[in-house]
Amino acid sequence: QGQMGNGGLQYKNASPKLVPGLPRIHQLSTGYYHTVALAEEGEWYAWGCNEQKQLGAANDEQIKQPRPLSSLVPELASAKIRSIEGGYGHTALLLEDGRLLTMGNHSEGQRALDPELDEVPTLSSVPLPGPVEAIAAGSHHTLAVVRGAVYGFGSDEFGQVRGLGEPEDETRSWMPKEVTGLPKDDPVVLVSAGNCHSAAQTASGRVFLWGCGGNGQTGDATL
């Protein structure tokens, strides 16, 4: 899908290869099939799979070599992006002013857009109760930290969004919901997301996990 950034689509790449054409990189993030990198001078670069418009380009299904993100998504030309996280087919972008933007697939609500919508914008803003401090993208869900609380949206098949266990009815939670069960007196400072589980680190250094634990990923020895 072009995620090697070398201009080709070779499936197996046995040894590490330098990605050509990049300046000095300061920050790096990968999605399932795509990669973004922040250059030292402040420009973001992106490459890899764009079949679900997770890199924002209108026509190219694969971005085979690193390209400035601002050239793929002109709306981002003047945006100051703090961090970017990639899921299976979507991308979350945290701006310096605390806004959270998303691109790509929305079939599970992972962009905080109604999954039943047939047409969605390339880039959309997520409605949250305040400036976002940290983000994470799972396979089909997204997490955001606002004032020390965690909000989730997207696939909630295993309870990875709301923290309420496996839902009995709707498995897609596309409107951001605050995760229950996290301490109010120990704010969350960092979140991370796996395929179908979620993690939060608090200011005191404690770690909380929720969602699918079928392989022990929630640290519960009974699963």
Side-chain angles (χ1 to χ4, degrees):
Q1 298 287 344
Q3 60 267 54
M4 294 295 292
N6 58 9
L9 297 174
Q10 183 174 328
Y11 187 73
K12 293 185 178 180
N13 300 268
S15 59
K17 296 289 191 300
L18 178 68
V19 178
L22 282 174
R24 184 181 176 88
I25 294 301
H26 177 71
Q27 188 176 328
L28 187 67
S29 180
T30 63
Y32 199 84
Y33 288 121
H34 61 294
T35 307
V36 294
L38 174 61
E40 197 171 45
E41 79 278 6
E43 178 74 78
W44 282 90
Y45 290 80
W47 63 96
C49 182
N50 187 51
E51 290 180 350
Q52 300 180 72
K53 301 297 181 283
Q54 58 264 60
L55 296 179
N59 301 313
D60 300 314
E61 291 194 345
Q62 287 89 26
I63 309 297
K64 300 176 185 178
Q65 294 175 305
R67 290 170 57 181
L69 187 58
S70 59
S71 71
L72 301 173
V73 191
E75 300 95 314
L76 293 173
S78 60
K80 295 182 178 180
I81 304 171
R82 186 191 310 172
S83 65
I84 300 179
E85 295 289 328
Y88 182 88
H90 78 291
T91 303
L93 308 91
L94 176 57
L95 304 189
E96 290 288 355
D97 62 11
R99 286 181 294 154
L100 175 56
L101 307 179
T102 62
M103 303 187 294
N105 184 272
H106 76 294
S107 63
E108 299 295 324
Q110 62 269 54
R111 290 184 57 189
L113 297 172
D114 186 346
E116 302 303 322
L117 290 176
D118 292 327
E119 296 185 10
V120 297
T122 299
L123 192 68
S124 59
S125 180
V126 176
L128 288 161
V132 177
E133 299 152 8
I135 60 172
S139 182
H140 294 89
H141 70 290
T142 307
L143 303 173
V145 179
V146 178
R147 301 189 189 102
V150 179
Y151 291 81
F153 45 97
S155 174
D156 197 30
E157 182 179 2
F158 298 94
Q160 66 265 41
V161 166
R162 291 174 287 189
L164 296 173
E166 294 184 25
E168 296 181 357
D169 45 13
E170 179 59 67
T171 61
R172 300 179 300 183
S173 179
W174 63 274
M175 289 294 291
K177 299 284 196 313
E178 183 176 352
V179 176
T180 62
L182 294 172
K184 299 292 187 182
D185 58 349
D186 190 8
V188 171
V189 295
L190 182 67
V191 283
S192 187
N195 183 38
C196 52
H197 76 293
S198 301
Q201 177 191 323
T202 66
S204 71
R206 293 187 292 170
V207 173
F208 292 82
L209 296 155
W210 62 99
C212 180
N215 289 291
Q217 60 266 54
T218 57
D220 187 339
T222 66
L223 299 178

